């Protein structure tokens, strides 16, 4: 006998039996699977816990099918015994987690281990089993998994809300609401938005032109005709308590969400009836399932409901129909949908309010911008560009006034601010200055009168401006008294009210016209002064607002010095060219509104020399009036002369037709742009009418209608949408011998 065996003798079989009998673990012994696994022996713990003793028979449900014999009486679900059958049939045994029954009928989770006993031939004759109660572990594990699932669901919900917020940041995207609804379909089978824009309408995006909210009743009319919605006689009528829950939600009479049954008929002219018909069709088309009910959430703005967010939950539960009953929407899903609906409503309301203010301010400002007079004897170019950061709303303005045929008034000003109030103040000041400019002649006197009137008007915004007058100087040595010569000079008088000084460009030198300065408009408590200059052919006057030179990273003085230096290097010999050079060098990224007026006195001798090296592009903004056609013709002729292009006659004809079309058929201001591409002159005309131009064979019984035929003969042309309107372009064809013969 080994030393270890002498010191620690093996326990006797009686001792082992005693220990097994007394253990708190449930222990049992069964026969082989072929014998039906009869329960041969159980210890006291097994019998007390399960109420099953040795010799128990198999339950009736086990007869005639694979089973684990009498042990199935221990299982809460006898079918779970099938998990162990394959291993027991093979005589291999194994460990299985099964839900078992206590003697009192309660359940617990147990790890059950089957250990096979084999005879000398290797055949399994018995199974020794041990059952360990693991309920505490399973419950803890289940709680952990449930917590993990909740956290995962919450993260998914937060991610969905974050993606929704990102989409709501760009409501001009035409499918923003559609994409949000598709995101929601990760938590519900189907979702969609309906906006109450003059009645309920299915919405994939936002109509920014719609009012901030509406209480329309378009949904209460039969969409396909004048007759009311027919009542489906095959459907039961809805109860009185839900006769038009959708309309109550739209009118703010209930907070929602509400359940709307789609398997009942609603009265004619009801919002619920309209929505039922539209939803059944859409859900059926997209899912192939006819919905029985939907949950409707209000998409609320600040003051009223803007629309609805509808979710269909697959009619899984709770679709009872009456108000106050279950919605069939779990609390976590309902919370997510409500958050999305609330954020969508706030974003839509803000966007529409912003768009309305933007549109109002832009309309005010564009209406107040001058309809520049075409001044004989002067080359005038004007430019205004609002800073996109300020939503095209500002207080900059300019004016060019043909006062009496020989006198021209020039104004440029800036009202503090970038909102509707600034635009309104600008309009008031413009009207005041205009009225006195036509009445009085001396700029200082005009500004004195403006100060007096503005002080009484209590305009809430301060403003600066420059006002100047230009008068022809007649040649007193001429043989004909009062004769005006083409090379005559001009007298200029000007005064400033807190505005940056105009620049005079002459023979490559730049001088600031800084005389006659004074305080801001309305603060002129001393008499305004008037300065005088004489202008000669070739001179250029530059009026501008601070947006041209002001930057965050430099002082205003540094910006003014840069403007003076840049102006000294200008080579263009037309007002538009001077303006384009300034813009290309100074206004590539303006931080404020920019307004510019360039006035040049033509110089026939210098202008006829070698074309100057200037930007090969020009732009003008013209009012929608017949006089703009002549201005456009003059503009293109001057540009062709400045660039040395020979096709000025064809360009003049094409521009005339395109601008005339814009005046006759468009609306809003007309933008004219010219480009020297190297392969020919490109002309672009933009207006606010989105309808494309059409080539016709003329108008029957009246003159006209051949404009686009002329354009086709002289140029390649096309069009494209631009903003809210269209842009028509034309590139002049190169001259050919055939065209020359014709």
């Amino acid at each position: 006998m080994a030393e270890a065996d002498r010191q620690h003798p093996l326990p006797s079989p009686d001792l082992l039996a005693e220990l097994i009998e007394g253990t708190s673990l449930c222990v049992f012994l069964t026969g082989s699977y072929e014998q039906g696994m009869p329960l041969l022996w159980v210890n006291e713990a097994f019998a007390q816990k399960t109420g099953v003793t040795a010799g128990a028979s198999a339950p009736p449900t086990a007869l005639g099918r694979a089973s684990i014999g009498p042990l199935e009486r221990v299982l809460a679900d006898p079918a779970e015994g099938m998990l162990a059958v394959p291993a027991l049939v093979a005589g291999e045994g194994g460990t299985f987690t099964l839900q078992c029954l206590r003697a009192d009928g309660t359940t617990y989770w147990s790890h059950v281990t089957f250990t096979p006993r084999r005879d000398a031939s290797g055949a399994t004759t018995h199974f020794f089993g041990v059952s360990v109660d693991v309920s505490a572990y399973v419950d803890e594990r289940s709680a952990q998994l449930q917590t993990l699932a909740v956290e995962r669901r919450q993260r998914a919900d937060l991610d969905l809300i974050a993606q929704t917020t990102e989409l709501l940041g760009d409501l001009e995207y035409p499918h923003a609401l559609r994409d949000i609804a598709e995101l929601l379909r990760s938590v519900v089978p189907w979702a969609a938005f309906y906006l109450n824009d003059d009645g309920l309408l299915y919405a994939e995006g936002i109509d920014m032109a719609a009012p901030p909210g509406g209480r329309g009743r378009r949904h209460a009319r039969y969409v396909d005709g004048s007759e009311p919605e027919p009542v489906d006689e095959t459907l039961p009528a809805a109860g009185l308590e839900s006769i038009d829950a959708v309309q109550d939600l739209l009118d703010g009479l209930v907070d929602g969400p509400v359940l709307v049954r789609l398997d009942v008929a609603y009265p004619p002219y009801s919002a619920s009836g309209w929505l039922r018909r539209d939803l059944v069709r859409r859900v059926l088309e997209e899912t192939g399932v006819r919905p029985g009910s939907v949950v409707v959430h209000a998409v609320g703005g600040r003051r009223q409901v803007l629309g609805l967010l509808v979710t269909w939950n697959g009619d899984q539960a709770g679709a009872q129909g009456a108000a106050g009953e279950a919605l069939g929407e779990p609390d976590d899903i309902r919370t997510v949908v409500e958050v999305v609906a609330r954020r969508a409503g706030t974003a839509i309301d803000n966007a529409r309010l912003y768009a309305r203010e933007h549109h109002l301010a832009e309309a005010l400002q564009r209406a107040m911008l001058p309809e520049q007079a075409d001044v004989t004897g002067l080359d005038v170019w004007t430019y205004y560009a609002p800073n996109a950061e300020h939503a095209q709303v500002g207080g900059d303005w300019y004016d060019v006034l043909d006062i009496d045929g020989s006198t021209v008034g020039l104004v440029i000003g800036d009202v503090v601010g970038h909102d509707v109030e600034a635009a309104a103040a600008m309009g008031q000041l413009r009207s005041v200055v205009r009225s006195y400019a036509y009445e009085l002649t001396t700029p200082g006197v005009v500004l004195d009168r403006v100060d007096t009137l503005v002080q009484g008007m209590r305009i809430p915004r301060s403003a600066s401006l420059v006002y100047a007058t230009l008068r022809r100087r007649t040649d007193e040595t001429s043989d004909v008294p009062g004769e005006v010569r083409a090379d005559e000079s001009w007298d200029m008088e000007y005064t400033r009210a807190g505005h940056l000084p105009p620049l005079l460009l002459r023979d490559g030198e730049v001088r600031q016209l800084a005389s006659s300065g004074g305080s801001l408009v309305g603060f002129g408590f001393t008499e305004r002064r008037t300065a005088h200059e004489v202008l000669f052919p070739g001179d250029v006057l530059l009026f501008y607002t601070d947006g041209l030179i002001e930057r965050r990273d430099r002082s205003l003085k540094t910006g003014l010095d840069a403007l003076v230096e840049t102006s000294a290097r200008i080579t263009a010999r037309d007002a538009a060219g001077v303006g384009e050079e300034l813009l290309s060098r100074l206004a590539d990224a303006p931080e404020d509104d920019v307004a510019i007026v360039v006035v040049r006195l033509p110089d026939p001798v210098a202008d006829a020399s070698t074309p100057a090296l200037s930007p090969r592009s020009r732009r003008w903004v013209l009012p929608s009036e017949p006089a703009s056609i002549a201005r456009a013709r003059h503009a293109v002729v001057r540009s062709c002369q400045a660039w040395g292009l020979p096709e000025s006659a064809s360009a003049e004809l094409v521009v005339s037709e395109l601008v005339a079309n814009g005046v006759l058929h468009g609306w809003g201001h007309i933008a004219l742009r010219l480009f020297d591409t190297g392969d020919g002159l490109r002309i672009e005309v933009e207006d606010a009418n989105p309808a494309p131009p059409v080539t016709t064979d003329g108008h029957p019984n009246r003159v006209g209608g051949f404009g686009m035929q002329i354009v086709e003969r002289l140029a390649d042309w096309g069009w494209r949408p631009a903003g809210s309107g269209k842009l028509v372009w034309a590139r002049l064809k190169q001259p050919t011998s055939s065209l020359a013969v014709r």
Side-chain angles (χ1 to χ4, degrees):
M1 180 179 293
E3 183 65 25
D5 293 336
R6 288 195 298 269
Q7 293 180 357
H8 303 287
L10 295 174
S12 65
D14 292 339
L15 176 60
L16 292 176
E18 180 182 350
L19 293 175
I20 294 174
E21 181 66 37
T23 182
S24 60
L25 297 177
C26 295
V27 182
F28 58 91
L29 180 68
T30 73
S32 66
Y33 186 82
E34 289 76 8
Q35 297 171 345
M37 295 189 69
L39 198 56
L40 304 177
W41 173 85
V42 298
N43 70 348
E44 184 64 23
F46 186 95
Q48 288 183 359
K49 189 158 193 171
T50 66
V52 177
T53 60
S57 61
T61 54
L63 298 177
R65 66 171 176 82
S67 70
I68 57 175
L71 284 177
E72 286 199 357
R73 291 187 177 276
V74 180
L75 302 179
D77 181 5
E80 286 188 359
M82 295 299 295
L83 298 175
V85 166
L88 298 176
V89 170
E92 298 296 334
T95 301
F96 308 93
T97 302
L98 303 171
Q99 192 174 30
C100 301
L101 287 172
R102 292 187 179 94
D104 60 3
T106 59
T107 61
Y108 68 98
W109 288 95
S110 176
H111 275 323
V112 182
T113 302
F114 292 92
T115 302
R117 186 265 177 189
R118 295 182 173 87
D119 60 15
S121 65
T124 299
T125 61
H126 298 81
F127 285 101
F128 179 73
V130 178
S131 174
V132 180
D133 189 339
V134 292
S135 295
Y137 168 79
V138 171
D139 291 343
E140 181 181 356
R141 177 63 175 167
S142 177
Q144 291 176 346
L145 292 176
Q146 186 175 5
T147 301
L148 184 61
V150 171
E151 292 178 354
R152 188 179 295 113
R153 179 70 211 176
Q154 289 175 343
R155 286 196 297 269
D157 292 344
L158 290 174
D159 182 62
L160 187 151
I161 293 172
Q163 293 182 63
T164 298
T165 302
E166 183 177 354
L167 286 170
L168 290 173
D170 184 16
L171 287 179
E172 293 185 356
Y173 171 55
H175 303 299
L177 296 184
R178 182 201 65 185
D179 290 356
I180 293 173
E182 290 180 353
L183 286 175
L184 284 174
R185 294 180 189 184
S186 64
V187 296
V188 293
W190 191 87
F193 281 91
Y194 287 82
L195 294 184
N196 191 18
D197 296 340
D198 190 24
L200 281 178
L201 292 172
Y202 174 78
E204 291 188 338
I206 311 298
D207 181 5
M208 303 302 292
R215 293 168 61 93
R217 292 292 188 273
R218 178 177 177 181
H219 49 260
R221 299 197 299 269
Y222 185 56
V223 178
D224 300 325
S226 59
E227 295 299 322
E229 178 191 358
V231 176
D232 190 343
E233 300 293 345
T234 64
L235 297 177
L240 293 176
E241 68 276 12
S242 60
I243 191 169
D244 203 355
V246 173
Q247 190 62 61
D248 290 344
L249 195 64
L250 290 171
D251 291 341
L253 301 180
V254 296
D255 293 333
V258 298
L259 187 76
V260 177
R261 292 181 59 183
L262 306 181
D263 56 354
V264 296
Y266 293 92
Y269 305 110
S270 66
S272 298
W274 185 94
L275 188 64
R276 178 192 66 79
R277 183 179 57 181
D278 194 74
L279 282 171
V280 169
R281 176 179 61 83
R282 292 186 186 277
V283 177
L284 188 60
E285 288 178 354
E286 296 185 32
T287 68
V289 179
R290 185 182 181 89
S293 64
V294 292
V295 180
V296 182
H297 298 258
V299 177
R302 286 181 175 83
R303 298 181 179 178
Q304 54 196 355
V305 176
L306 305 179
L308 307 171
L309 174 53
V310 181
T311 60
W312 174 58
N313 301 299
D315 303 318
Q316 295 174 354
Q320 310 299 322
E325 295 184 358
L327 293 173
E329 192 172 54
D331 290 342
D332 56 339
I333 293 179
R334 184 167 65 253
T335 299
V336 171
V337 176
E338 286 177 345
V339 169
V340 171
R342 188 162 54 249
R343 292 196 176 191
T346 301
I348 294 169
D349 207 19
N350 288 341
R352 286 183 171 176
L353 286 170
Y354 172 81
R356 183 174 63 170
E357 179 177 346
H358 174 192
H359 179 73
L360 174 61
E362 185 179 10
L364 282 172
Q365 191 166 36
R366 292 296 179 186
M368 294 170 184
L369 285 178
E371 298 181 355
Q372 174 191 323
D374 193 21
V375 182
T376 304
L378 294 177
D379 183 7
V380 181
W381 181 81
T382 56
Y383 175 81
Y384 172 78
N387 181 9
E389 181 180 342
H390 297 138
Q392 298 188 353
V393 178
D396 291 13
W397 94 93
Y398 62 84
D399 228 338
V400 180
L401 311 173
D402 190 357
I403 295 176
D404 59 12
S406 62
T407 303
V408 179
L410 301 172
V411 187
I412 195 160
D414 186 1
V415 176
V416 174
H418 300 89
D419 52 21
V420 175
E421 191 174 81
M426 177 267 286
Q428 289 177 294
L429 283 175
R430 174 175 175 263
S431 298
V432 170
V433 174
R434 270 196 161 213
S435 62
Y436 287 129
Y438 281 102
E439 178 185 352
L440 305 171
T441 56
T442 305
V445 177
V446 170
L447 200 51
D448 282 333
R449 298 287 294 274
V450 171
D451 282 332
T452 303
L453 187 57
V454 167
Q455 291 169 11
M457 294 172 62
R458 299 183 182 275
I459 294 179
R461 299 295 181 90
S462 57
S464 65
L465 65 81
V466 176
Y467 175 59
T469 59
L470 277 67
R471 293 184 180 85
R472 303 172 190 270
R473 302 184 72 190
T474 57
D475 189 348
E476 297 179 356
T477 63
S478 174
D479 295 335
V480 181
E483 180 183 10
V484 178
R485 290 174 42 180
D487 60 348
E488 67 180 16
S489 58
W490 291 63
D491 285 317
M492 173 186 175
E493 292 183 328
Y494 68 95
T495 186
R496 295 188 301 121
H499 202 84
L500 293 167
L503 300 184
L504 173 60
L505 286 62
R506 176 181 294 165
D507 298 330
E509 297 183 358
V510 180
R511 181 158 57 91
Q512 300 181 34
L513 303 182
S515 302
S516 66
S519 57
L520 296 172
V521 178
F523 296 91
F525 301 108
T526 60
E527 183 178 353
R528 299 282 186 177
R529 294 176 295 167
T530 300
H532 178 264
E533 290 286 339
V534 178
L535 305 178
F536 300 97
D539 286 354
V540 175
L541 284 174
L542 174 60
F543 299 80
Y544 54 95
T545 57
D546 56 5
L548 180 64
I549 60 174
E550 189 175 26
R551 300 292 183 271
R552 295 185 181 93
D553 58 350
R554 70 186 185 193
S555 66
L556 197 61
K557 182 181 183 304
T558 303
L560 184 57
D561 292 341
L563 174 61
V564 172
E565 180 183 355
T566 300
S567 300
R569 300 199 304 267
I570 289 177
T571 60
R573 294 201 175 102
D574 62 313
V578 172
E580 293 292 348
E581 286 198 45
L582 287 173
L583 293 176
S584 64
R585 298 177 183 178
L586 296 175
D588 54 340
E591 298 174 359
D592 200 353
D593 304 336
V594 177
I596 303 174
V597 177
V598 179
V599 181
R600 184 177 184 274
L601 275 64
D603 185 348
V605 177
D607 296 348
S609 62
T610 305
L613 299 176
S614 64
R616 314 297 278 188
S617 63
R618 301 287 189 267
R619 76 192 89 174
W620 294 264
V621 177
L622 309 171
S624 183
E625 63 178 17
S628 295
I629 303 172
R631 281 195 57 203
R633 288 201 303 266
H634 297 162
V636 72
V637 169
R638 285 195 298 268
S639 298
C640 288
Q641 291 174 348
W643 293 335
L645 300 179
E647 60 263 32
S648 60
S650 297
E652 183 179 5
L653 191 54
V654 171
V655 164
S656 179
E657 294 298 337
L658 294 182
V659 174
N661 279 343
V663 171
L664 293 175
H665 307 296
W667 53 79
H669 284 73
I670 298 171
L672 169 64
R673 303 182 188 89
L674 304 177
F675 303 90
D676 179 13
T677 64
D679 295 328
L681 183 67
R682 179 183 173 91
I683 302 164
E684 294 183 356
V685 176
E686 183 178 346
D687 62 54
N689 183 356
V694 178
T695 303
T696 68
D697 294 328
H699 299 305
N701 303 322
R702 59 191 178 95
V703 178
F706 297 98
M708 296 311 296
Q709 289 191 25
I710 296 174
V711 173
E712 279 190 345
R713 183 71 174 272
L714 299 174
D716 298 319
W717 72 279
W719 76 281
R720 60 178 172 82
S724 59
K726 67 175 179 300
L727 183 148
V728 183
W729 60 268
R731 186 171 62 83
L732 292 183
K733 297 177 180 178
Q734 295 296 324
T736 63
S737 57
S738 60
L739 288 177
V741 171
R742 293 180 184 177

